[in-house]
Amino acid sequence: MLDPPGILKTLTGRGLVSADGCEAVRVRYRVLIERRPEGLVAHGTLNGTHAKLRPVWLQPDAHLRLKSGRHLDISLTDLVGNEAEFESTGPVPDL
């Protein structure tokens, strides 16, 4: 699959997504990193179990732990079935 124009890097793998007061959820992720006028931004999709992702989706802030052990601050913006969309909410570290 080709990356859309402007995408600097695509990361895929298995990780954990968590939010305060919620159980951590095992997910498969696809993270797209792109440069925008405001700086680096990450967004993408998470695939997991709807019932486990829903509590995280209801929280404004979440954390995605990548297979490399690095963390990304995110917010889940949509949840349809077992797939959630997210956007980064803080600085994007060197991934």
Side-chain angles (χ1 to χ4, degrees):
M1 175 183 250
L2 293 175
D3 288 333
I7 299 298
L8 300 175
K9 189 185 290 188
T10 300
L11 305 171
T12 59
R14 295 179 185 267
L16 290 172
V17 65
S18 60
D20 288 342
C22 298
E23 179 181 338
V25 181
R26 292 184 188 278
V27 294
R28 284 184 314 204
Y29 59 81
R30 182 167 189 253
V31 179
L32 304 172
I33 300 172
E34 68 178 293
R35 185 172 309 282
R36 293 185 184 166
E38 62 271 18
L40 290 180
V41 176
H43 57 91
T45 57
L46 304 173
N47 288 288
T49 306
H50 179 85
K52 292 183 177 182
L53 284 171
R54 190 170 189 281
V56 177
W57 175 61
L58 293 172
Q59 298 299 317
D61 298 312
H63 310 282
L64 175 60
R65 184 172 149 230
L66 306 174
K67 65 182 176 184
S68 66
R70 309 278 297 201
H71 290 264
L72 187 61
D73 293 331
I74 63 171
S75 179
L76 275 61
T77 57
D78 198 11
L79 176 61
V80 177
N82 292 329
E83 184 173 279
E85 295 180 1
F86 70 89
E87 294 180 357
S88 60
T89 57
V92 176
D94 182 22
L95 302 171

